[in-house]
Each structure stands twice: as C-alpha cells, then as structure tokens.
Amino acid sequence: MRTSFLILFGVVCALVSAKSYSHDRSRLVDSDSGIFGPDYKKILSQMQGWRDSYPEITQLLDYGKSVQGRPLRMMIVGKPGWQLDAWFERPALIITGSTHGNEYLNIEDRLPAEILKLSATRSAVQEYIEAGGVYLFVPILNPDGYDNRARENANGVDLNRDWDVDVAQFKGFKQIETRALATKLGSLRETMGLQYRASVDYHCCVGAVLYPWSYTSNPLPGTDLQAHLSLAKLAKELLNIDYGTTGEILGYYPVGTTKDYYYSEYGTAAFTYEGRYGSENQYLGKHVEWWEKISDKINKHELRMTRLP
Ligand SMILES: [Zn+2]
C-alpha cells in the first residue's frame, strides 16, 4: 500500500516537472529574455537622472501615452540650439528596446549613461556630438508589455508587426505606441533637421543582428547592402554573433517591422539586434564599442546609403 502510494506520488511529480519544463520551453520559444529589469517607473526616473546630470546636451520628450496610460518617453542627446539650414542636416542614431515587452536585455537602458560619459571624454562619440550629431533613445518602446512581462502591447498586438512598409503595401500604426513614435520622429526630422542614419531595435534571443528586408527575400540594392554588412560585421567581431536578414537567420518573412520602416521611410541603416538568452547583459562594454564605431563611421563619412550622403 505504502509502496504503491510512493510510486503514484513519483509519477505525479514526474508529470508536474515535465509540465513545468515544457512551460519553460515555451517561454524560450516566445523569446523571453531571461533578464529582469526594474519596473518602468524606475526606468523613467533613471532617465530623469541622466537629464539632471547632463542638462546641456540632454532633453526628455514625452510623445504620448501607452494603451494603459504609461508615458511614452524618449531621450535626445545632442547639442541644442542648432539652426536648421537648408544645407545642413544633423545625423541621428535611433536606439530602442522592449518593442517586445518581455525581451528586455538591460543593454538599451544602460547605453544612454555610457554615451553621456563618453560625450565628456575625447572619443568618437564626443566628436559626433560636437559636429551636431544626435542620439535618440527609447529604452522601453512598449511600457505596458514591459511591466506586464508580455511580448505584445496591452491590446495584445505585436508592435514589431505594426509599422508602415509602403513598398510591401502594408499599413501599420494601428497602435498608439508605434504611431506616436513614428509621428514624433517625423516631426523631429522637420524641426531639428534630423537625418536618421542608423537604428537598432534591441530584442531577444537569437544571438544575431538582422537587417532588411524582413518582409521579402529580395536583397537590398548593393550600396545599402554593403553599408548594412559593414555595421553587421563590426557587431560580429565585437559580440561574436551571427548576421543576416530575418529570412536568412529565422526562416520567415514578417511584414511591419521597425527595421523595414526605418529603412524604407528614411533610408536608414536599420537593424534588429537579437540578444542572447539570460546573458546579453554581460556585454554592455561591447555594445558601447559598437556604437562608438558606428559614430566614428558617420564622423568619417564612411556610412554611405543610396538615399543618404
Ligand atoms: Zn522580439
């Protein structure tokens, strides 16, 4: 009696542990990063802290509210007071994270502080800012998803499938988080004369850097492909990760991604950075080096794209 009870107990335990194992597997398939950050309020107060420490080159901009009413906030690092002249446009680099709210890497929310530190020392970052360059940070693009530890926004929509891609005849921007950011980027382009040169949207967990197109297997035009490859190869050298298009690396062709939007709308060298599960946060220094090298390429006019100088 006692023995059969123990056997039954053992079988139940085995079933329960198998179930929790398969649950963990599904979390991996959903590409949960395995890296946990502070709640969004803490991230907002960190951003305020950077603004207070570097007021002369830092602005915070709230560009809307999420579905659940959280502020959508970006930080702009660059020299203020540049007049917009017809002949001068300011290069801008876009760094975003947690478009998928459960793919936080703890890189996207520490890069701003590192860039600010470099702005105060002799570096490619300082040179870039002195020449009028701008860094635009949105550490948490999907704050409801982030606080709820969910891939989608509070309407249950995948925000990396909600960007306009005209060339694919795809209409996005059904969600406030994507629409408000795209509207703000469009207006900053006009008011500050920003020219979006490169963008990275931080995700998890493939261990690769992805470039356009994501919606089709058609390759980019030669010049643009070379520009993307030059930045992707830098990432490979520094971070020891793979690179390719979404289709080449993942075998599917999603429409409505951030990188297809930035590339098709602005001619930007646009990437999805897919960090490594549970460990990408160890490589902050390498990510900083990557951004230094990207800034340096722009300083030296070495990042040529078809639609940009
Ligand atoms: Zn993702």
Side-chain angles (χ1 to χ4, degrees):
M1 184 66 186
R2 198 184 169 86
T3 314
S4 63
F5 175 77
L6 281 174
I7 290 168
L8 181 64
F9 183 69
V11 168
V12 169
C13 285
L15 284 172
V16 167
S17 72
K19 192 167 183 341
S20 65
Y21 176 73
S22 73
H23 177 70
D24 283 352
R25 290 294 302 164
S26 75
R27 273 165 52 102
L28 287 176
V29 170
D30 283 349
S31 67
D32 185 294
S33 68
I35 299 166
F36 291 83
D39 64 20
Y40 184 56
K41 271 200 186 120
K42 176 85 194 299
I43 304 246
L44 293 178
S45 70
Q46 261 173 13
M47 292 172 86
Q48 188 61 52
W50 298 325
R51 165 81 184 82
D52 295 344
S53 303
Y54 295 85
E56 65 290 347
I57 53 165
T58 304
Q59 302 175 56
L60 295 182
L61 271 184
D62 283 1
Y63 56 90
K65 279 194 188 314
S66 68
V67 174
Q68 292 181 333
R70 293 176 176 87
L72 301 172
R73 184 168 295 175
M74 72 166 65
M75 189 170 104
I76 298 177
V77 173
K79 292 172 93 174
W82 282 65
Q83 295 301 311
L84 175 58
D85 292 313
W87 51 269
F88 181 77
E89 292 191 301
R90 304 179 70 170
L93 300 171
I94 303 172
I95 299 157
T96 56
S98 288
T99 299
H100 290 149
N102 58 350
E103 296 182 8
Y104 165 83
L105 296 176
N106 193 214
I107 295 293
E108 61 281 49
D109 63 331
R110 287 187 294 164
L111 272 172
E114 299 300 317
I115 292 291
L116 285 167
K117 269 188 244 163
L118 282 171
S119 76
T121 60
R122 263 178 73 119
S123 62
V125 166
Q126 185 181 57
E127 193 183 326
Y128 172 79
I129 291 174
E130 284 297 320
V134 165
Y135 298 90
L136 209 153
F137 296 99
V138 181
I140 308 290
L141 191 149
N142 172 13
D144 295 345
Y146 176 76
D147 270 356
N148 299 326
R149 197 78 188 165
R151 177 183 176 91
E152 296 85 3
N153 75 347
N155 288 334
V157 174
D158 185 332
L159 298 181
N160 205 24
R161 306 288 184 271
D162 190 45
W163 297 76
D164 272 0
V165 184
D166 290 347
V167 66
Q169 278 119 40
F170 180 80
K171 286 279 165 224
F173 301 138
K174 305 279 195 297
Q175 302 302 309
I176 189 63
E177 290 88 355
T178 46
R179 188 170 64 241
L181 178 54
T183 302
K184 180 52 80 177
L185 292 173
S187 73
L188 288 172
R189 193 196 181 312
E190 299 307 316
T191 57
M192 291 180 71
L194 300 186
Q195 194 172 59
Y196 301 118
R197 303 299 308 275
S199 67
V200 176
D201 192 29
Y202 281 94
H203 285 249
C204 204
C205 292
V206 177
V209 64
L210 311 178
Y211 50 80
W213 295 107
S214 57
Y215 84 93
T216 174
S217 60
N218 293 340
L220 296 179
T223 306
D224 295 352
L225 182 60
Q226 288 314 312
H228 281 90
L229 284 172
S230 73
L231 300 190
K233 284 175 181 168
L234 281 176
K236 183 185 169 62
E237 279 165 29
L238 289 164
L239 287 145
N240 192 29
I241 50 158
D242 218 346
Y243 62 83
T245 64
T246 304
E248 286 163 356
I249 301 288
L250 297 173
Y252 60 87
Y253 298 90
V255 69
T257 62
T258 56
K259 62 180 173 299
D260 280 7
Y261 174 73
Y262 290 135
Y263 173 68
S264 60
E265 180 72 13
Y266 294 116
T268 309
F271 298 90
T272 306
Y273 185 92
E274 289 275 355
R276 285 154 282 199
Y277 181 81
S279 65
E280 192 66 35
N281 54 349
Q282 296 168 24
Y283 305 108
L284 176 66
K286 297 292 179 188
H287 284 275
V288 174
E289 267 188 69
W290 190 33
W291 283 106
E292 279 188 274
K293 286 179 191 292
I294 294 172
S295 308
D296 194 47
K297 274 188 177 286
I298 293 173
N299 293 340
K300 293 177 174 155
H301 306 282
E302 287 175 1
L303 187 68
R304 293 219 177 73
M305 299 279 291
T306 309
R307 289 164 55 200
L308 295 168

